[in-house]
Amino acid sequence: MSFVEYGDTIKDGDTAIVFLGHESMFPVKVQHGTVTQTKYGVIRHSTDLIGKKYGSKVTCSKGGWVFILHPTPELWTMNLPHRTQILYSTDISIITMMLELKPGSIVCESGTGSGSLSHALIRTVAPTGHLYTVEFHQQRAEKAREEFREHGVEHLVTVTNQDVCKNGFGVSNIADAVFLDIPSPWEAIGHAKSALKAEGGRICSFSPCIEQVQRTCLAMEEYGFTEINTLEILLRVYNVRTISLQIPDLGKAAEDNSSTGFDSSNPSHQGSLCANLQEGTVQFKSGVPLREVVGHTGYLTFATKS
């Protein structure tokens, strides 16, 4: 199993996603002889998972069923264990596009955190690119190395435990892009410039506060970066629902009946007249926004090395 190469069958040691519903799923490490408890009953790894195809419908001990999905960076972002606040698909998508990443790109990242963005970057630059990620916290760096190894992508990433603001990324003049998600990104702009290739490299800094953005932009300008711009990505989700609305009676039915000689004084016609004048309903599909919408997450500041 690898996050960058699809496998057909579930193997011992794989990380799989147990899908109970769109709002309920979780990761599980497949191990021979292990069981996993769900609200639909027990899943026995040896008999229910190992050897089965990814995407299979698995019946649990209580009669309920789940799907077992192959892991992807998108699914991992939704299910990973949170060691820090993470970036979600809305910001990740614009980051990978604005940094102009592609297979073969060299990317520097700090900090690694829970690895949400890291997995997406690795999948984007695979199979010939590389990610150099720096994490200040030793335990988080060790856990990130362990996850990358379990997910079959350790050959595409180098994890370093150090302070990027003091010691940089450990590489010079090779990176196509640099991403910063640290409390004081302006202190790492000089190291980011040293890590980027001679010219044309891209940099992105994620900050939740506008004061951080202001200081970062000043530092970028001081180090000669150009095309500096800041974005805020807001996501508004719509649910498609069936809506029933009344059809208003604007008097057209009565006019049509009089023009066609409809005799309303005839008792046999009075019932039909009442039915025609009565307001009806019509059903149609409509997009309805959620009552609670996720607001501000952070500002993304992009720039180019001149």
Side-chain angles (χ1 to χ4, degrees):
M1 184 278 304
S2 171
F3 272 54
V4 296
E5 296 177 2
Y6 185 81
D8 287 331
T9 58
I10 305 171
K11 298 180 178 62
D12 189 14
D14 281 3
T15 297
I17 305 297
V18 179
F19 181 89
L20 292 82
H22 289 290
E23 302 298 327
S24 180
M25 54 183 127
F26 60 89
V28 61
K29 184 174 181 180
V30 179
Q31 292 179 313
H32 185 78
T34 304
V35 298
T36 297
Q37 294 283 350
T38 74
K39 63 181 180 180
Y40 300 126
V42 171
I43 301 174
R44 295 175 176 82
H45 294 200
S46 300
T47 57
D48 297 333
L49 299 184
I50 297 176
K52 299 290 182 66
K53 287 190 174 183
Y54 279 106
S56 296
K57 182 178 179 180
V58 173
T59 302
C60 304
S61 62
K62 293 182 180 179
W65 48 266
V66 299
F67 287 105
I68 308 300
L69 306 180
H70 192 284
T72 64
E74 292 80 7
L75 289 174
W76 186 245
T77 291
M78 298 170 62
N79 296 281
L80 58 78
H82 285 232
R83 299 184 289 272
T84 60
Q85 290 290 334
I86 68 169
L87 291 175
Y88 290 93
S89 57
T90 307
D91 290 315
I92 292 174
S93 59
I94 198 71
I95 289 170
T96 55
M97 185 190 75
M98 294 293 288
L99 289 182
E100 302 173 3
L101 301 182
K102 59 186 181 300
S105 295
I106 306 297
V107 187
C108 292
E109 175 197 27
S110 183
T112 312
S114 301
S116 174
L117 177 64
S118 304
H119 283 80
L121 294 177
I122 291 170
R123 199 263 306 274
T124 302
V125 304
T128 56
H130 201 83
L131 172 66
Y132 295 89
T133 182
V134 177
E135 174 57 51
F136 174 78
H137 194 272
Q138 182 179 356
Q139 285 73 25
R140 287 201 293 263
E142 292 174 354
K143 185 61 178 178
R145 289 194 193 97
E146 180 185 342
E147 287 181 348
F148 293 142
R149 183 171 58 255
E150 291 178 351
H151 299 165
V153 296
E154 72 275 10
H155 61 292
L156 297 170
V157 57
T158 300
V159 182
T160 305
N161 173 221
Q162 64 186 30
D163 186 351
V164 70
C165 296
K166 295 180 179 179
N167 306 114
F169 293 94
V171 296
S172 299
N173 302 319
I174 64 169
D176 298 289
V178 170
F179 176 79
L180 298 173
D181 183 6
I182 54 178
S184 52
W186 55 89
E187 296 181 1
I189 299 300
H191 293 297
K193 183 177 181 180
S194 299
L196 287 169
K197 59 187 181 181
E199 60 178 344
R202 295 280 286 167
I203 184 174
C204 174
S205 173
F206 176 90
S207 297
C209 301
I210 195 64
E211 292 81 7
Q212 293 170 302
V213 174
Q214 291 170 334
R215 295 189 65 175
T216 303
C217 289
L218 290 174
M220 288 179 175
E221 190 174 40
E222 179 183 348
Y223 279 95
F225 284 90
T226 59
E227 300 177 341
I228 303 172
N229 62 87
T230 299
L231 309 176
E232 181 185 25
I233 312 301
L234 300 177
L235 178 66
R236 189 175 188 185
V237 179
Y238 282 79
N239 279 341
V240 177
R241 298 179 181 176
T242 301
I243 305 297
S244 296
L245 291 180
Q246 288 187 332
I247 302 175
D249 178 15
L250 302 179
K252 188 175 186 307
E255 295 175 3
D256 291 344
N257 289 333
S258 62
S259 64
T260 56
F262 188 90
D263 185 8
S264 60
S265 62
N266 189 331
S268 64
H269 292 167
Q270 289 180 357
S272 298
L273 178 61
C274 292
N276 289 335
L277 294 178
Q278 186 178 15
E279 294 180 354
T281 60
V282 62
Q283 292 185 338
F284 60 93
K285 296 291 184 181
S286 177
V288 180
L290 301 180
R291 292 184 179 182
E292 296 182 0
V293 179
V294 177
H296 170 77
T297 56
Y299 300 102
L300 293 170
T301 300
F302 295 91
T304 303
K305 183 177 179 179
S306 176

